[in-house]
């Protein structure tokens, strides 16, 4: 009888740990989404990094948090990771263009807008942004082509 109680307690403890941990992660992930919605990006980042997901949405959420708190190198890394999963992800490409613009790497910025135009050539915003950053990068011919 004594051993049965000990086995029961050990089994229940292990079951709680095994089953309880994902619920804690899910709670952290859900809380992180709420933090993003409330513009609490630093707090959301802590929660997202403690979640063990590798989905495209999760990676882009981490990248967004890094971007919003001004850690552009980390944001760039995560957006590139997102693009390794989905090569034509418009959000990731657009955010990379924004990062390169903030880093004044206009050549890379223009390349990202060229990718966006290849995906959606009717989007006037992409043409306008390409023209702006091509001009800043002293590529006037390319800038005038997209005005």
């Amino acid at each position: 009888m004594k051993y049965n109680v000990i086995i029961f307690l050990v089994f229940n403890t292990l079951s709680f740990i095994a089953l309880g941990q994902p619920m804690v992660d899910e709670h952290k992930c859900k809380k992180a989404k709420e933090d993003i919605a409330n513009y609490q990006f630093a707090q959301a980042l802590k929660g997202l990094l403690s979640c063990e997901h590798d989905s495209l949405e999760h990676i882009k959420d981490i990248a967004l948090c890094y971007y919003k708190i001004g850690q552009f190198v980390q944001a760039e890394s995560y957006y590139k990771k997102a693009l390794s999963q989905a090569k034509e992800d418009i959000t990731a490409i657009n955010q990379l263009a924004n990062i390169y613009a903030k880093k004044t790497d206009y050549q890379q910025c223009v390349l990202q807008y060229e990718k966006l135009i290849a995906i959606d050539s009717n989007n006037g915003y992409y043409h306008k942004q390409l023209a702006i950053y091509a001009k800043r990068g002293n590529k006037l011919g390319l800038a005038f082509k997209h005005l």
Side-chain angles (χ1 to χ4, degrees), residues 93-131:
I93 298 169
N94 191 50
Q95 285 299 99
L96 276 175
N98 291 335
I99 289 167
Y100 293 133
K102 289 201 179 282
K103 292 168 52 175
T104 66
D105 186 351
Y106 299 125
Q107 182 178 0
Q108 284 297 316
C109 181
V110 166
L111 287 174
Q112 300 311 308
Y113 280 112
E114 286 175 339
K115 288 178 188 177
L116 289 167
I117 290 169
I119 295 169
D120 182 5
S121 62
N122 294 324
N123 191 319
Y125 175 78
Y126 299 152
H127 289 278
K128 178 183 169 187
Q129 293 300 103
L130 189 144

Side-chain angles (χ1 to χ4, degrees), residues 127-128 130-136 138-147:
H127 289 278
K128 178 183 169 187
L130 189 144
I132 289 169
Y133 293 113
K135 181 180 175 192
R136 289 183 185 171
N138 293 324
K139 293 187 176 187
L140 296 177
L142 183 61
F144 285 119
K145 178 181 172 187
H146 288 278
L147 285 179

